[in-house]
């Protein structure tokens, strides 16, 4: 029987790259996402050419939507082996003193509570089979203060601790829970100035691609990664360790 992965945010950016990665490796995939119809249609056409995939319209802040996405996976494919919680937003890039706490709460609700909503329903299915992997996409902003707004930092810092707490609770029931923390990723929304500046902060002199993050997510889902649990794996090309590498005379080649 094929393994089954649910990918949130799977119609664009890291989520789309992750859905492609799992399909190329023989998984059945449920894409749980909200997006424009045009983007959904384009993404699904591309994904359907790679393997067996289904779409579930899913606002991850809506628990009923999350439950429906997991139910679709179970009813159509029989099980849930992997949940990749990729969906998220950065929110407005503004100072804390500007005081838009409504936006802060929106970011926290999507990035943190949305991931918890999906994790709950996926875990309830996984424990029945005493196996499964939940991978939460965090951020370097969950590990260090960076350029994003307070809501993004708060949500991603919480993802780090939620990952640890969930692993502690769910590991005795056969599950693994971990987080992948990307550096700056070119999802198609960064302008050239940001790409050039961000590239100088990474070891290879460029920002990270969505496909590189998808590769790490997939690798962490494998049985060979079973020792990786309750922790955050940095997929940041050295950003958190060597930020400012642009000051060196030469960056590393690919």
């Amino acid at each position: 029987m094929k393994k089954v992965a649910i990918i949130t945010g799977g119609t664009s950016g890291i989520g789309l790259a992750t859905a492609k990665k799992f399909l190329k490796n023989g998984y059945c995939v449920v894409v749980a996402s909200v997006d424009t119809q045009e983007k959904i249609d384009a993404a699904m056409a591309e994904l359907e050419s790679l393997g067996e995939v289904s779409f579930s319209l899913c606002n991850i802040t809506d628990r009923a939507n999350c439950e429906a996405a997991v139910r679709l996976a179970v009813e159509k494919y029989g099980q849930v082996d992997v949940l990749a919680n990729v969906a998220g937003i950065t929110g407005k890039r503004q100072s804390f003193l500007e005081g838009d706490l409504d936006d802060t709460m929106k970011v926290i609700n999507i990035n943190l509570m949305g991931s918890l909503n999906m994790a709950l329903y996926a875990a309830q299915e996984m424990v029945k089979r005493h196996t499964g992997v939940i991978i939460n996409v965090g951020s370097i902003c969950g590990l260090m203060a960076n350029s994003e707004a307070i809501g993004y930092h708060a949500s991603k810092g919480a993802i780090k601790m939620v990952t640890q707490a969930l692993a502690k609770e769910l590991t005795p029931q056969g599950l693994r829970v971990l987080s992948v923390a990307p550096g700056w990723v070119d999802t198609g929304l960064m302008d050239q100035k940001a790409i050039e500046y961000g590239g100088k902060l990474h070891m290879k002199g460029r920002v990270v691609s969505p496909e590189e993050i998808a590769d790490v997510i997939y690798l962490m889902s494998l049985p060979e990664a079973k020792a990786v649990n309750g922790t955050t794996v940095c997929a940041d090309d050295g950003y958190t360790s060597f930020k400012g590498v642009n000051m060196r005379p030469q960056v590393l080649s690919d």
Side-chain angles (χ1 to χ4, degrees), residues 36-101:
T36 65
Q37 193 60 50
E38 182 180 4
K39 286 186 177 181
I40 292 170
D41 291 343
M44 292 306 294
E46 188 173 5
L47 294 172
E48 286 166 357
S49 70
L50 300 175
E52 195 165 357
V53 59
S54 298
F55 178 77
S56 182
L57 187 64
C58 184
N59 174 352
I60 58 173
T61 65
D62 186 320
R63 289 192 294 274
N65 281 188
C66 297
E67 185 176 19
V70 173
R71 185 168 60 250
L72 173 62
V74 173
E75 290 179 352
K76 189 162 186 177
Y77 304 120
Q79 62 201 49
V80 180
D81 296 286
V82 177
L83 167 65
N85 270 322
V86 183
I89 63 171
T90 56
K92 297 177 183 177
R93 289 182 173 89
Q94 60 185 12
S95 74
F96 175 66
L97 294 178
E98 290 180 72
D100 191 349
L101 294 182

Side-chain angles (χ1 to χ4, degrees), residues 100-114:
D100 191 349
L101 294 182
D102 288 338
D103 186 69
T104 298
M105 185 57 69
K106 177 182 178 182
V107 173
I108 292 171
N109 279 337
I110 293 173
N111 294 357
L112 173 60
M113 295 309 301

Side-chain angles (χ1 to χ4, degrees), residues 143-210:
L143 304 170
M144 61 185 293
N146 210 296
S147 58
E148 301 294 348
I150 193 72
Y152 190 73
H153 282 88
S155 67
K156 294 303 185 177
I159 285 292
K160 176 181 180 294
M161 290 309 304
V162 158
T163 295
Q164 293 174 214
L166 286 178
K168 182 176 184 293
E169 178 175 345
L170 297 175
T171 294
Q173 300 185 68
L175 278 61
R176 278 196 300 128
V177 187
L178 63 124
S179 174
V180 171
W184 288 32
V185 180
D186 182 10
T187 60
L189 300 178
M190 297 174 67
D191 60 30
Q192 190 59 36
K193 183 177 180 181
I195 291 173
E196 291 175 0
Y197 175 76
K200 294 176 182 178
L201 302 176
H202 294 71
M203 286 293 286
K204 290 187 176 68
R206 59 170 175 78
V207 295
V208 182
S209 72

Side-chain angles (χ1 to χ4, degrees), residues 238-249:
Y239 185 104
T240 50
S241 296
F242 306 106
K243 183 180 177 183
V245 72
N246 57 307
M247 300 304 294
R248 293 174 55 183

